[in-house]
Amino acid sequence: MQRRTKLTLAGLGVTALAAALLPAAPAAATGTTTGTAGPTVVVKGLNNPRQISVTDTGGLLVAEAGRGGAQCVAAPGGETANETCIGYTGSVSWVPFPAVQQGSTPIRVLTGLLSGANPKGASATGSQAVAGNLLDIQVAVVDEPHVAVPESIDKSTYGTLLQSRLLGKPRIVADIAAYEYAQDPDGQLPESNPYALLELPGRTLIADAAANDVLQWRNGRLSTFAVLPNIQDGLCAGKPNDNGTTGCDPVPTGLTVDRAGAIYVSALGNFSPNSGRIYKLDGRTGKVLQVWGDLTGVTSVAIDRHGALYASQLFAGKVTKIGRDGTRTDLSVPFPAGLAISGDTLYVAAYSTAPETGLGLPDVDSSGQVWRFRI
C-alpha cells in the first residue's frame, strides 16, 4: 500500500545508502554552483540529522533522529537489516556559532528522545523536527512504528510535539498522531509522521509527512492549516491510492516562510522521478498559491532574501536552487535533508541517514553532518 511505502525515506539499509552515496561524495567535496562558496563541514558525528532551525541568536538547532537502541524487533528492513532497533538516542544539538565553526563535535542539549533504526544505527526515525531557540525548544517525534514495540519502551511521546524550556525535561504539548487518527484530514486513512516544524508569531506549523497535511498549533490547540493535494501527473497519474483516491501522496517534509508571510512546503512525493514538489501557501488561509515540480525526493525547503528557493533532493544527492526567474542550479550534497538560511549562508544536513559512526565508506567521513555554503 502506498501509505506505507511513502515512509521509506528513513528505511533503507546501509548497503543501499552507500551505493547511492558513492557518486555524490567526491563532487560534494569539490564541486559547487557558480557564485557559491563551500562546502564547509560545520558539525560532524551527528546521528541521522534531519531538520535544522536558526535561532534568534544566529545559532542552529539540529534535530537528530538518533541511532536506534538495544531493543530490536523483527520488521521489514533494507538490504542489510530485517530488524528495527529501538531506544532513546534521539536528540537535539545546538551549534552556537555556525558561521565560523568547522569540523565541530555535537553539543547535545536535549537527549533521551525515542529513536528507531537498523542494527547499524542508520536510516533512523525519531526526533526529526525542531524549532524555537535554545531556552524554548520545540521538537516533534515520529509516530509509533508498525512493529511490536517492546513493553520496556515508554511509548508516550510517539507522535507528539514536545517542548523544553530552560533546557528542562521535554513535556508533551500536543498529540499530533491522536489528532490525525481522530480527524484524518486527507481522508486517506490515518497515519502520522511529523517531519518539520516552523515557529511563527503566536503559532507553530507542523508538516506531517504521513498525513499529507500541515497542522497549526496555536493557544495549546491543534487545527488543520492545509491539506496538500495528491500528485496526479507523470508516473502518479491514475495510480490507485488509499480509500478510493488516486495519484501519489505529496508527503510534506519541510517548511519555511518568506518576508511577506507566505508559507513554503516541500513534498517528498513517492520517489518516482519528478514527483517531488514545493508548494507556496497563503500564510493566513493555507490556500495553494503556486507549485514547483520536476523535483525528486524533496526533504526540505528554504528561501533566501532574494526570493530564490532551495530544495533538498535526498537520493539525487543535491540541493537545487530555483531562482525567481525559474533558473535552476545544483549543489552536490550526499543525502541532504534539513535546510536553513541565515543571511547569505545556507546550512544543509548532509549524510542525513547516517549515524555518528558513519556508513563504513572507505576514506570518507560519512557520519551525519551539517554543511554550510556561502550563497
Side-chain angles (χ1 to χ4, degrees), residues 128-220:
Q128 300 167 152
V130 67
N133 59 69
L134 184 60
L135 300 181
D136 189 2
I137 299 173
Q138 297 175 3
V139 59
V141 180
V142 69
D143 193 16
E144 184 176 342
H146 299 288
V147 297
V149 177
E151 292 183 2
S152 59
I153 297 295
D154 180 358
K155 300 185 287 185
S156 62
T157 58
Y158 274 130
T160 64
L161 177 64
L162 306 176
Q163 185 176 44
S164 169
R165 288 184 170 165
L166 302 177
L167 299 181
K169 181 180 178 179
R171 65 183 183 92
I172 299 171
V173 294
D175 194 329
I176 300 165
Y179 182 91
E180 162 66 9
Y181 277 81
Q183 303 295 327
D184 189 21
D186 74 346
Q188 295 188 94
L189 306 180
E191 190 172 12
S192 182
N193 181 9
Y195 204 80
L197 298 174
L198 178 63
E199 187 179 44
L200 299 168
R203 58 178 176 151
T204 296
L205 297 182
I206 305 161
D208 192 324
N212 295 318
D213 60 32
V214 178
L215 303 183
Q216 179 173 265
W217 182 60
R218 186 200 294 265
N219 297 326

Side-chain angles (χ1 to χ4, degrees), residues 5 35 61 72 103 172 236 253 306 312 329 340 347:
T5 60
L61 293 173
C72 297
I172 299 171
C236 297
T253 54
H306 304 293
S312 288
T329 51
Y347 299 99

Side-chain angles (χ1 to χ4, degrees), residues 9 49-53 128 130 195-197 207 251-256 264-268 276-279 295-303 309-314 318-322 335-341 346-349 352:
L9 68 98
R50 298 297 157 78
Q51 300 302 330
I52 303 172
S53 180
Q128 300 167 152
V130 67
Y195 204 80
L197 298 174
V251 193
T253 54
L255 295 163
T256 194
Y264 296 78
V265 186
S266 60
L268 185 82
R277 298 286 188 271
I278 295 175
Y279 296 90
L295 300 163
T296 303
V298 186
T299 49
S300 192
V301 62
I303 188 167
L309 292 169
Y310 296 78
S312 288
Q313 298 187 75
L314 183 66
K318 63 185 179 182
V319 174
T320 297
K321 176 183 178 180
I322 307 174
F335 286 86
L339 298 173
I341 292 176
L346 171 70
Y347 299 99
V348 187
S352 67

Side-chain angles (χ1 to χ4, degrees), residues 108-129:
R108 294 188 170 103
V109 293
L110 287 184
T111 58
L113 303 175
L114 283 165
S115 174
N118 69 28
K120 295 187 177 181
S123 307
T125 60
S127 42
Q128 300 167 152

